[in-house]
Amino acid sequence: MDVSFLGGPRPQRGVGVVAPFDFALDRELWRWVPDEVSLHLTRTPFVPVEVSLDLARIVSEHETLHEAVRALCAVSPEVVAYACASGSFVGGVAGERAMCEAMRRAGEVPALTTSGALLEALRELGASRIALVTPYTRSVTDALEEYLAGAGVTVGGRSYLGLTSHIWKVPYRDVVGMAREAVVGSADALFISCTNLPTYDVIPQLEAELRMPVLSANQVTMWAALRAIGAYAVGPYQALLDFDARGGPAALSADRGSAALPGEPDPAAALPGEPGEAVPPPPPETET
């Protein structure tokens, strides 16, 4: 059969992604990507270290980034994203900027990181005071708060799980529980850290319940990478991706705590993929 009339596959635009060796959520990243864009992923070399500040420093070494970006550039991506929150905030604001410069030098293409994308997203939303959720230990969570403080962002409340491995296995109910505990007092937005923590399906539910923009590590990474090449992230109704969903942080948070509006998820309703199952009380360690 002659298929020459099909003209071949559609041209694809490429986004290069450098992820830590234990990253398990490739499929989640793809869910934010439009059809005309392809992701090209590579991983940093394996090291037998648990999730910690030491691991964050190892997977973000400039030599490691240089080799990863050089490998990605064999397929000519238009931008390269370093998809790791802790690896990109462990050196503070100056360290994150140095990482981007190292990647740019290695590939001669625009480069960004998850933590830099977070700051870009917060500026986009006009948010300077946030609630924070992480799966990390206290020391890694402290380092994230220090990074944010260095960028002029205040953390009003936080909740963390204290995990050192298998973060990709955390269920949505635990993410929701931590979010509810972290949002105390006033906040312009909620940030859920760690690219290895599943968040895609839970963002719209939390925005409806908490009445504020909800950002996650994978979400901001894909949003910023696609924006860098003039493309748009796709996904369920959420403030970062859809201007109509914003109304500004103040407007979204003004009626936080009220009952769900018609058509919005009930806070006590089942989570995605868990029909008929209510959310139990949250188990994580909490600090405010």
Side-chain angles (χ1 to χ4, degrees):
M1 178 179 177
D2 182 8
V3 295
S4 59
F5 69 92
L6 295 176
R10 293 176 58 188
Q12 289 284 294
R13 309 184 68 184
V15 170
V17 178
V18 180
F21 63 88
D22 65 342
F23 180 68
L25 300 180
D26 304 56
R27 184 178 177 85
E28 178 162 297
L29 292 184
W30 276 98
R31 296 176 75 183
W32 272 291
V33 178
D35 288 343
E36 68 274 13
V37 177
S38 285
L39 297 183
H40 308 298
L41 280 89
T42 191
R43 282 167 168 74
T44 60
F46 170 77
V47 288
V49 179
E50 293 182 328
V51 177
S52 61
L53 291 175
D54 287 340
L55 178 61
R57 295 185 183 101
I58 291 170
V59 298
S60 61
E61 291 175 346
H62 288 193
E63 182 178 351
T64 299
L65 295 177
H66 183 273
E67 294 303 314
V69 172
R70 288 292 299 275
L72 284 172
C73 284
V75 294
S76 302
E78 296 180 47
V79 64
V80 172
Y82 177 70
C84 178
S86 61
S88 54
F89 66 62
V90 68
V93 173
E96 189 276 334
R97 290 173 180 163
M99 290 176 66
C100 289
E101 181 57 31
M103 290 190 292
R104 280 192 289 267
R105 287 198 306 268
E108 298 184 354
V109 292
L112 58 94
T113 74
T114 295
S115 296
L118 167 61
L119 299 184
E120 185 180 346
L122 291 175
R123 287 192 293 269
E124 174 75 9
L125 296 171
S128 60
R129 180 180 176 84
I130 68 169
L132 180 62
V133 164
T134 88
Y136 311 133
T137 61
R138 177 172 181 167
S139 61
V140 180
T141 304
D142 287 345
L144 173 53
E145 189 165 347
E146 290 166 9
Y147 169 80
L148 290 166
V153 178
T154 301
V155 174
R158 70 181 193 176
S159 182
Y160 59 91
L161 284 174
L163 298 180
T164 58
S165 63
H166 297 104
I167 289 172
W168 67 89
K169 296 180 180 179
V170 174
Y172 283 144
R173 65 166 64 89
D174 289 3
V175 177
V176 170
M178 285 193 293
R180 291 170 177 162
E181 290 293 323
V183 177
V184 293
S186 62
D188 299 327
L190 169 72
F191 175 57
I192 306 170
S193 191
C194 190
T195 55
N196 227 2
L197 184 68
T199 57
Y200 183 89
D201 296 299
V202 83
I203 291 172
Q205 173 186 334
L206 283 174
E207 288 199 345
E209 177 182 339
L210 302 176
R211 301 291 194 270
M212 66 176 60
V214 174
L215 306 175
S216 80
N218 284 329
Q219 175 209 42
V220 298
T221 304
M222 288 296 94
W223 170 80
L226 291 164
R227 176 163 145 148
I229 65 171
Y232 296 93
V234 297
Y237 196 65
Q238 53 201 269
L240 183 61
L241 309 190
D242 191 335
F243 188 80
D244 290 336
R246 295 182 190 177
L252 282 168
S253 61
D255 59 353
R256 177 166 52 86
S258 62
L261 299 176
E264 293 181 334
D266 187 328
L271 294 175
E274 299 172 338
E277 185 174 352
V279 179
E285 180 180 1
T286 303
E287 284 196 0
T288 59

